[in-house]
Amino acid sequence: MSCVFCEIVAGHSPASVVYADEEILAFLDVRPVNPGHTLVIPRAHAAGLGDLDPRLGGRTFQVAQQIAGALRASDLRCDGVNLFLA
């Protein structure tokens, strides 16, 4: 199954990547709510949360924590960090 995120993972759609490893990809949102708005996704497609391997879900959250720390340490105004799961 292919989706917009799969297209980004495959390199078929452009993205401003801020983090990448074998399992996880993080990139800036094309329609940011705030400066630094970053999406953190597993490279493996999962249609819903129940379809995501729990270990990979934990790894995704770990990377999100790293990204949040980097945002807080950056020059961007960052009064807090929100994590949304969709």
Side-chain angles (χ1 to χ4, degrees):
M1 177 169 193
S2 186
C3 66
V4 65
F5 299 117
C6 291
E7 293 296 312
I8 291 169
V9 167
H12 299 149
S13 292
S16 295
V17 176
V18 298
Y19 177 90
D21 67 21
E22 301 81 27
E23 297 181 309
I24 308 296
L25 188 67
F27 50 93
L28 298 177
D29 195 298
V30 295
R31 293 184 192 95
V33 174
N34 295 305
H37 182 168
T38 305
L39 301 173
V40 182
I41 64 168
R43 287 183 180 268
H45 179 85
L49 183 58
D51 301 314
L52 184 62
D53 175 83
R55 188 201 59 76
L56 187 54
R59 179 76 185 115
T60 304
F61 190 83
Q62 288 173 336
V63 171
Q65 286 180 304
Q66 290 176 325
I67 299 296
L71 284 168
R72 297 295 301 258
S74 76
D75 290 334
L76 291 174
R77 180 174 174 227
C78 186
D79 295 330
V81 173
N82 296 313
L83 287 175
F84 292 97
L85 180 63

Coordinates of all heavy atoms in Angstrom, one line a residue:
M1 N 0.8 -1.2 0.0 CA 0.0 0.0 0.0 C 0.9 1.2 0.0 O 1.9 1.3 0.7 CB -0.9 0.0 1.2 CG -1.8 1.2 1.3 SD -3.0 0.9 2.6 CE -4.0 2.3 2.2
S2 N 0.5 2.2 -0.8 CA 1.3 3.5 -0.9 C 0.4 4.6 -0.3 O -0.8 4.7 -0.5 CB 1.7 3.7 -2.3 OG 2.6 4.8 -2.4
C3 N 1.1 5.5 0.4 CA 0.5 6.7 0.9 C 1.5 7.9 0.7 O 2.6 7.7 0.3 CB 0.1 6.6 2.3 SG 1.4 6.4 3.5
V4 N 1.1 9.1 1.1 CA 2.0 10.2 1.0 C 3.3 10.0 1.8 O 4.4 10.4 1.3 CB 1.3 11.6 1.3 CG1 0.9 11.6 2.8 CG2 2.2 12.7 1.0
F5 N 3.2 9.4 2.9 CA 4.4 9.1 3.7 C 5.3 8.1 3.1 O 6.5 8.2 3.1 CB 4.0 8.7 5.1 CG 3.2 9.8 5.8 CD1 1.9 9.6 6.2 CD2 3.8 11.1 6.1 CE1 1.2 10.6 6.9 CE2 3.1 12.1 6.7 CZ 1.8 11.9 7.1
C6 N 4.7 7.0 2.5 CA 5.4 6.0 1.8 C 6.2 6.7 0.6 O 7.3 6.3 0.3 CB 4.5 4.9 1.3 SG 3.9 3.9 2.6
E7 N 5.6 7.6 -0.1 CA 6.2 8.3 -1.2 C 7.4 9.1 -0.7 O 8.4 9.2 -1.4 CB 5.2 9.2 -1.9 CG 4.1 8.5 -2.6 CD 4.6 7.6 -3.7 OE1 5.4 8.1 -4.5 OE2 4.2 6.5 -3.8
I8 N 7.3 9.7 0.5 CA 8.4 10.5 1.0 C 9.5 9.5 1.4 O 10.7 9.7 1.1 CB 7.9 11.3 2.2 CG1 7.0 12.5 1.7 CG2 9.1 11.9 3.0 CD1 6.3 13.2 2.8
V9 N 9.2 8.4 2.1 CA 10.2 7.4 2.5 C 10.9 6.9 1.3 O 12.1 6.7 1.3 CB 9.5 6.3 3.3 CG1 10.4 5.1 3.5 CG2 9.0 6.8 4.7
A10 N 10.2 6.6 0.2 CA 10.8 6.1 -1.0 C 11.6 7.1 -1.8 O 12.3 6.8 -2.7 CB 9.7 5.5 -1.9
G11 N 11.5 8.4 -1.4 CA 12.2 9.4 -2.1 C 11.5 9.9 -3.3 O 12.1 10.7 -4.1
H12 N 10.3 9.6 -3.5 CA 9.5 10.0 -4.7 C 8.8 11.3 -4.5 O 8.4 12.0 -5.4 CB 8.4 8.9 -5.0 CG 9.0 7.6 -5.4 ND1 8.4 6.4 -5.1 CD2 10.2 7.3 -5.9 CE1 9.1 5.4 -5.5 NE2 10.3 5.9 -6.0
S13 N 8.7 11.8 -3.2 CA 8.2 13.1 -2.9 C 9.2 13.8 -2.1 O 9.9 13.2 -1.2 CB 6.9 13.0 -2.1 OG 5.8 12.5 -2.9
P14 N 9.3 15.1 -2.3 CA 10.4 15.9 -1.6 C 10.0 16.1 -0.1 O 8.9 16.1 0.3 CB 10.4 17.2 -2.3 CG 9.0 17.4 -2.8 CD 8.5 16.0 -3.2
A15 N 11.1 16.2 0.7 CA 10.9 16.4 2.1 C 12.2 17.1 2.7 O 13.3 16.8 2.2 CB 10.6 15.1 2.9
S16 N 12.0 18.0 3.7 CA 13.1 18.6 4.4 C 13.4 17.7 5.6 O 12.9 17.9 6.7 CB 12.8 20.0 4.8 OG 12.6 20.8 3.7
V17 N 14.3 16.7 5.4 CA 14.6 15.7 6.4 C 15.5 16.3 7.5 O 16.5 16.9 7.2 CB 15.2 14.4 5.7 CG1 15.6 13.4 6.8 CG2 14.3 13.8 4.7
V18 N 15.1 16.0 8.7 CA 15.9 16.5 9.9 C 16.5 15.3 10.6 O 17.4 15.5 11.4 CB 15.1 17.4 10.8 CG1 14.7 18.7 10.1 CG2 13.9 16.7 11.4
Y19 N 16.0 14.1 10.4 CA 16.5 12.9 11.0 C 16.1 11.7 10.1 O 15.0 11.6 9.6 CB 15.9 12.7 12.4 CG 16.4 11.4 13.0 CD1 17.5 11.4 13.8 CD2 15.7 10.2 12.9 CE1 18.0 10.2 14.4 CE2 16.2 9.0 13.4 CZ 17.3 9.1 14.2 OH 17.8 7.9 14.8
A20 N 17.1 10.8 10.0 CA 16.8 9.5 9.3 C 17.7 8.4 9.8 O 18.9 8.6 10.0 CB 17.0 9.7 7.8
D21 N 17.1 7.3 10.0 CA 17.8 6.0 10.2 C 17.1 4.9 9.5 O 16.3 5.2 8.7 CB 18.0 5.8 11.7 CG 16.8 5.5 12.5 OD1 15.8 5.0 11.9 OD2 16.8 5.6 13.7
E22 N 17.5 3.7 9.8 CA 17.0 2.5 9.0 C 15.5 2.4 9.3 O 14.8 1.8 8.4 CB 17.7 1.2 9.4 CG 19.2 1.2 9.2 CD 19.9 2.0 10.3 OE1 19.5 2.0 11.4 OE2 21.0 2.5 10.0
E23 N 14.9 2.8 10.4 CA 13.5 2.6 10.8 C 12.6 3.8 10.8 O 11.4 3.7 10.7 CB 13.5 1.9 12.1 CG 14.1 0.6 12.2 CD 14.0 0.0 13.6 OE1 14.4 0.6 14.6 OE2 13.6 -1.2 13.6
I24 N 13.3 5.0 11.0 CA 12.5 6.2 11.3 C 12.9 7.3 10.4 O 14.1 7.5 10.0 CB 12.7 6.7 12.8 CG1 12.5 5.5 13.8 CG2 11.9 7.9 13.1 CD1 11.0 5.0 13.8
L25 N 12.0 8.2 10.1 CA 12.2 9.4 9.3 C 11.5 10.6 9.9 O 10.4 10.4 10.3 CB 11.7 9.2 7.8 CG 12.1 10.2 6.8 CD1 13.6 10.2 6.5 CD2 11.3 10.0 5.5
A26 N 12.2 11.7 10.0 CA 11.6 12.9 10.6 C 11.9 14.0 9.6 O 13.0 14.2 9.1 CB 12.2 13.2 11.9
F27 N 10.8 14.8 9.3 CA 11.0 15.9 8.3 C 10.0 17.0 8.7 O 9.0 16.8 9.4 CB 10.7 15.4 6.9 CG 9.4 14.6 6.8 CD1 8.2 15.2 6.4 CD2 9.4 13.2 7.1 CE1 7.0 14.5 6.3 CE2 8.2 12.5 7.0 CZ 7.0 13.1 6.6
L28 N 10.3 18.2 8.2 CA 9.5 19.4 8.5 C 8.2 19.3 7.7 O 8.1 18.9 6.5 CB 10.3 20.7 8.1 CG 11.6 20.9 8.8 CD1 12.3 22.1 8.3 CD2 11.3 21.0 10.3
D29 N 7.1 19.7 8.4 CA 5.8 19.7 7.7 C 5.7 20.8 6.7 O 6.3 21.9 6.8 CB 4.7 20.0 8.8 CG 3.3 19.7 8.4 OD1 2.9 20.3 7.4 OD2 2.7 18.9 9.0
V30 N 5.1 20.5 5.5 CA 5.0 21.5 4.5 C 4.0 22.6 4.8 O 4.0 23.7 4.2 CB 4.6 20.8 3.1 CG1 5.7 19.9 2.6 CG2 3.3 20.1 3.2
R31 N 3.1 22.4 5.7 CA 2.2 23.4 6.2 C 2.3 23.5 7.7 O 1.3 23.1 8.4 CB 0.7 23.0 5.8 CG 0.5 23.1 4.3 CD -0.9 22.8 3.9 NE -1.0 22.6 2.5 CZ -1.0 21.4 1.9 NH1 -0.9 20.3 2.6 NH2 -1.1 21.3 0.6
P32 N 3.4 24.0 8.2 CA 3.6 24.0 9.7 C 2.6 24.9 10.4 O 2.2 25.9 10.0 CB 5.0 24.6 9.8 CG 5.2 25.4 8.5 CD 4.4 24.7 7.5
V33 N 2.2 24.3 11.6 CA 1.4 25.1 12.5 C 2.3 26.1 13.2 O 1.8 27.2 13.5 CB 0.7 24.1 13.5 CG1 0.0 24.9 14.6 CG2 -0.2 23.1 12.8
N34 N 3.5 25.7 13.5 CA 4.5 26.6 14.2 C 5.8 26.3 13.5 O 6.1 25.2 12.9 CB 4.6 26.2 15.7 CG 3.4 26.5 16.5 OD1 2.9 27.6 16.4 ND2 2.9 25.5 17.1
P35 N 6.8 27.3 13.6 CA 8.1 27.0 13.1 C 8.7 25.8 13.8 O 8.5 25.6 15.0 CB 8.9 28.3 13.5 CG 7.9 29.3 13.6 CD 6.6 28.6 14.2
G36 N 9.3 24.9 13.0 CA 9.9 23.7 13.6 C 8.9 22.5 13.6 O 9.3 21.4 14.0
H37 N 7.7 22.7 13.1 CA 6.7 21.6 13.1 C 7.3 20.4 12.3 O 7.6 20.5 11.1 CB 5.4 22.2 12.4 CG 4.3 21.2 12.4 ND1 3.1 21.6 12.0 CD2 4.2 19.9 12.6 CE1 2.2 20.5 12.0 NE2 2.9 19.5 12.4
T38 N 7.5 19.4 13.0 CA 8.2 18.2 12.5 C 7.3 17.0 12.5 O 6.7 16.7 13.6 CB 9.5 17.9 13.2 OG1 10.3 19.1 13.2 CG2 10.3 16.8 12.6
L39 N 7.3 16.2 11.5 CA 6.6 14.9 11.5 C 7.7 13.8 11.7 O 8.7 13.8 11.0 CB 5.9 14.7 10.2 CG 4.9 15.8 9.8 CD1 4.3 15.5 8.4 CD2 3.7 15.8 10.8
V40 N 7.4 12.8 12.6 CA 8.2 11.7 12.8 C 7.4 10.5 12.5 O 6.4 10.2 13.1 CB 8.7 11.7 14.3 CG1 9.6 10.5 14.6 CG2 9.3 13.0 14.7
I41 N 8.0 9.7 11.5 CA 7.2 8.5 11.1 C 8.1 7.3 11.0 O 9.3 7.4 10.8 CB 6.6 8.8 9.7 CG1 7.7 9.0 8.6 CG2 5.6 10.0 9.7 CD1 7.2 8.9 7.2
P42 N 7.5 6.1 11.2 CA 8.2 4.9 10.9 C 8.4 4.7 9.4 O 7.5 5.1 8.6 CB 7.4 3.8 11.5 CG 6.0 4.3 11.5 CD 6.1 5.8 11.6
R43 N 9.4 4.2 8.9 CA 9.6 3.9 7.4 C 8.6 2.9 7.0 O 8.2 2.9 5.8 CB 11.0 3.5 7.1 CG 12.0 4.7 7.2 CD 13.4 4.2 6.8 NE 14.4 5.3 6.9 CZ 14.7 6.1 5.9 NH1 14.1 6.0 4.7 NH2 15.6 7.1 6.1
A44 N 8.3 1.9 7.8 CA 7.3 0.8 7.5 C 5.9 1.4 7.5 O 5.5 2.1 8.5 CB 7.5 -0.3 8.4
H45 N 5.2 1.1 6.5 CA 3.8 1.6 6.4 C 2.9 0.9 7.5 O 3.0 -0.3 7.7 CB 3.2 1.3 5.0 CG 1.8 1.7 4.9 ND1 1.4 3.0 4.6 CD2 0.6 1.0 5.1 CE1 0.1 3.1 4.6 NE2 -0.4 1.9 4.9
A46 N 2.1 1.7 8.1 CA 1.1 1.2 9.1 C -0.2 2.0 8.9 O -0.1 3.2 9.0 CB 1.6 1.3 10.5
A47 N -1.2 1.3 8.5 CA -2.5 2.1 8.3 C -3.1 2.7 9.5 O -3.7 3.7 9.5 CB -3.5 1.1 7.6
G48 N -2.8 2.1 10.7 CA -3.3 2.6 11.9 C -2.4 2.2 13.1 O -1.5 1.4 12.9
L49 N -2.7 2.8 14.2 CA -1.8 2.5 15.4 C -1.8 1.0 15.7 O -0.7 0.5 16.1 CB -2.3 3.3 16.6 CG -1.5 3.2 17.9 CD1 -0.1 3.6 17.6 CD2 -2.1 4.0 19.0
G50 N -2.9 0.3 15.6 CA -2.9 -1.1 15.9 C -2.1 -2.0 14.9 O -1.8 -3.1 15.2
D51 N -1.8 -1.4 13.7 CA -1.0 -2.1 12.8 C 0.5 -1.9 13.0 O 1.3 -2.5 12.3 CB -1.3 -1.6 11.3 CG -2.8 -1.8 11.0 OD1 -3.3 -2.9 11.3 OD2 -3.5 -0.9 10.5
L52 N 0.9 -1.0 13.9 CA 2.3 -0.6 14.1 C 2.9 -1.6 15.1 O 2.3 -1.8 16.2 CB 2.4 0.8 14.6 CG 3.8 1.4 14.8 CD1 4.6 1.4 13.5 CD2 3.7 2.8 15.4
D53 N 4.0 -2.2 14.8 CA 4.8 -3.0 15.7 C 5.1 -2.2 17.0 O 5.6 -1.1 16.9 CB 6.0 -3.5 15.0 CG 6.9 -4.3 16.0 OD1 6.6 -5.5 16.1 OD2 7.9 -3.7 16.5
P54 N 4.8 -2.7 18.2 CA 5.0 -2.0 19.4 C 6.4 -1.5 19.6 O 6.7 -0.4 20.1 CB 4.6 -2.9 20.5 CG 3.6 -3.9 19.9 CD 4.1 -4.0 18.4
R55 N 7.4 -2.3 19.2 CA 8.8 -1.9 19.3 C 9.1 -0.7 18.4 O 9.7 0.2 18.8 CB 9.7 -3.1 19.0 CG 11.2 -2.8 19.3 CD 12.2 -3.7 18.5 NE 12.0 -3.5 17.1 CZ 12.5 -2.5 16.3 NH1 13.1 -1.5 16.9 NH2 12.3 -2.5 15.0
L56 N 8.6 -0.8 17.2 CA 8.8 0.3 16.3 C 8.0 1.6 16.8 O 8.5 2.7 16.6 CB 8.3 -0.1 14.9 CG 8.6 0.9 13.8 CD1 10.1 1.3 13.7 CD2 8.2 0.3 12.4
G57 N 6.9 1.4 17.4 CA 6.2 2.6 17.9 C 7.0 3.2 19.0 O 7.1 4.4 19.1
G58 N 7.6 2.4 19.9 CA 8.5 2.9 20.9 C 9.7 3.6 20.3 O 10.1 4.7 20.8
R59 N 10.3 3.1 19.3 CA 11.4 3.7 18.6 C 11.0 5.1 18.0 O 11.8 6.0 18.1 CB 12.0 2.8 17.6 CG 13.1 3.3 16.8 CD 14.4 3.3 17.6 NE 15.4 3.9 16.9 CZ 16.1 5.0 17.2 NH1 15.8 5.6 18.4 NH2 16.9 5.6 16.4
T60 N 9.8 5.1 17.4 CA 9.3 6.4 16.9 C 9.2 7.4 17.9 O 9.6 8.6 17.8 CB 8.0 6.1 16.2 OG1 8.1 5.1 15.2 CG2 7.5 7.4 15.5
F61 N 8.7 7.0 19.1 CA 8.5 8.0 20.2 C 9.9 8.4 20.7 O 10.1 9.6 21.0 CB 7.7 7.3 21.3 CG 7.4 8.3 22.4 CD1 6.3 9.1 22.3 CD2 8.1 8.4 23.6 CE1 5.9 10.0 23.3 CE2 7.8 9.3 24.6 CZ 6.7 10.1 24.4
Q62 N 10.9 7.5 20.8 CA 12.2 7.9 21.2 C 12.8 9.0 20.3 O 13.4 10.0 20.7 CB 13.2 6.7 21.2 CG 12.9 5.7 22.3 CD 13.7 4.5 22.2 OE1 14.2 4.1 21.1 NE2 13.9 3.8 23.3
V63 N 12.6 8.8 19.0 CA 13.1 9.8 18.0 C 12.4 11.1 18.2 O 13.0 12.2 18.2 CB 13.1 9.3 16.6 CG1 13.4 10.4 15.6 CG2 14.0 8.1 16.4
A64 N 11.1 11.0 18.4 CA 10.3 12.3 18.7 C 10.8 13.0 19.9 O 10.9 14.2 19.9 CB 8.8 11.9 18.8
Q65 N 11.2 12.3 20.9 CA 11.8 12.9 22.1 C 13.1 13.6 21.7 O 13.4 14.7 22.2 CB 12.1 11.9 23.2 CG 10.8 11.5 23.9 CD 11.1 10.4 25.0 OE1 11.7 9.4 24.7 NE2 10.6 10.7 26.2
Q66 N 13.9 13.0 20.9 CA 15.2 13.6 20.5 C 14.9 14.9 19.7 O 15.6 15.9 19.9 CB 16.0 12.6 19.6 CG 16.6 11.5 20.4 CD 17.3 10.5 19.4 OE1 16.9 10.3 18.3 NE2 18.4 9.9 19.9
I67 N 14.0 14.8 18.8 CA 13.6 16.0 18.0 C 13.1 17.1 18.9 O 13.5 18.3 18.7 CB 12.6 15.6 16.9 CG1 13.1 14.5 15.9 CG2 12.1 16.9 16.1 CD1 14.3 14.9 15.1
A68 N 12.3 16.8 19.8 CA 11.7 17.8 20.8 C 12.9 18.4 21.5 O 12.9 19.6 21.7 CB 10.8 17.1 21.8
G69 N 13.8 17.7 22.0 CA 15.0 18.2 22.7 C 15.8 19.2 21.8 O 16.2 20.2 22.2
A70 N 16.0 18.8 20.5 CA 16.7 19.6 19.6 C 15.9 20.9 19.3 O 16.5 22.0 19.2 CB 16.9 18.9 18.3
L71 N 14.6 20.8 19.2 CA 13.8 22.1 19.0 C 14.0 23.0 20.2 O 14.1 24.2 20.1 CB 12.3 21.7 18.8 CG 12.0 21.2 17.4 CD1 10.6 20.6 17.4 CD2 12.2 22.3 16.4
R72 N 13.9 22.4 21.4 CA 14.0 23.2 22.7 C 15.4 23.9 22.8 O 15.5 25.0 23.3 CB 13.8 22.4 23.9 CG 12.4 21.8 24.1 CD 11.2 22.7 24.2 NE 11.3 23.6 25.3 CZ 10.7 23.5 26.5 NH1 9.8 22.5 26.6 NH2 10.8 24.4 27.4
A73 N 16.4 23.2 22.2 CA 17.8 23.7 22.3 C 18.1 24.7 21.1 O 19.1 25.4 21.2 CB 18.8 22.6 22.3
S74 N 17.2 24.8 20.2 CA 17.5 25.6 19.0 C 17.2 27.1 19.3 O 16.7 27.4 20.3 CB 16.6 25.1 17.8 OG 15.3 25.5 18.0
D75 N 17.4 27.9 18.3 CA 17.1 29.3 18.4 C 15.6 29.6 18.1 O 15.2 30.8 18.3 CB 17.9 30.1 17.4 CG 19.4 30.1 17.8 OD1 19.7 30.0 19.0 OD2 20.2 30.3 16.8
L76 N 14.8 28.6 17.8 CA 13.4 28.8 17.5 C 12.7 29.1 18.9 O 13.1 28.5 19.9 CB 12.8 27.6 16.9 CG 13.2 27.3 15.4 CD1 12.5 26.0 15.0 CD2 12.7 28.4 14.5
R77 N 11.7 29.9 18.9 CA 10.9 30.1 20.1 C 10.1 28.8 20.3 O 9.4 28.4 19.4 CB 10.0 31.3 19.9 CG 9.1 31.5 21.1 CD 8.3 32.8 21.0 NE 7.4 32.8 22.2 CZ 6.1 33.0 22.1 NH1 5.5 33.3 21.0 NH2 5.4 33.0 23.2
C78 N 10.3 28.2 21.4 CA 9.7 27.0 21.7 C 9.3 26.9 23.2 O 10.1 26.5 24.0 CB 10.7 25.8 21.4 SG 10.0 24.2 21.5
D79 N 8.1 27.4 23.5 CA 7.6 27.4 24.9 C 7.3 26.0 25.4 O 7.2 25.7 26.5 CB 6.4 28.3 25.0 CG 6.8 29.7 24.7 OD1 7.9 30.1 25.0 OD2 5.9 30.5 24.2
G80 N 7.0 25.1 24.4 CA 6.7 23.7 24.8 C 6.7 22.9 23.5 O 6.9 23.4 22.4
V81 N 6.4 21.6 23.7 CA 6.4 20.7 22.6 C 5.1 19.8 22.7 O 4.8 19.3 23.8 CB 7.6 19.7 22.6 CG1 7.5 18.7 21.5 CG2 8.9 20.5 22.4
N82 N 4.4 19.7 21.6 CA 3.2 18.9 21.6 C 3.5 17.7 20.7 O 4.0 17.8 19.7 CB 2.0 19.7 21.0 CG 1.6 20.8 21.8 OD1 1.4 20.7 23.0 ND2 1.4 22.0 21.2
L83 N 3.0 16.5 21.2 CA 3.1 15.3 20.4 C 1.7 14.9 20.1 O 0.8 14.8 20.9 CB 3.8 14.2 21.2 CG 5.3 14.3 21.4 CD1 5.8 13.2 22.3 CD2 6.0 14.3 20.0
F84 N 1.5 14.7 18.8 CA 0.2 14.2 18.3 C 0.3 12.9 17.6 O 1.3 12.7 16.8 CB -0.5 15.2 17.3 CG -0.9 16.5 18.0 CD1 0.0 17.6 17.9 CD2 -2.1 16.7 18.6 CE1 -0.3 18.8 18.5 CE2 -2.4 17.8 19.2 CZ -1.6 18.9 19.2
L85 N -0.5 12.0 17.8 CA -0.5 10.7 17.2 C -1.7 10.6 16.3 O -2.8 10.8 16.6 CB -0.6 9.6 18.3 CG -0.6 8.2 17.8 CD1 0.8 7.9 17.1 CD2 -0.8 7.3 19.0
A86 N -1.4 10.4 15.0 CA -2.5 10.3 14.0 C -2.3 9.0 13.1 O -1.2 8.6 12.9 CB -2.5 11.5 13.1

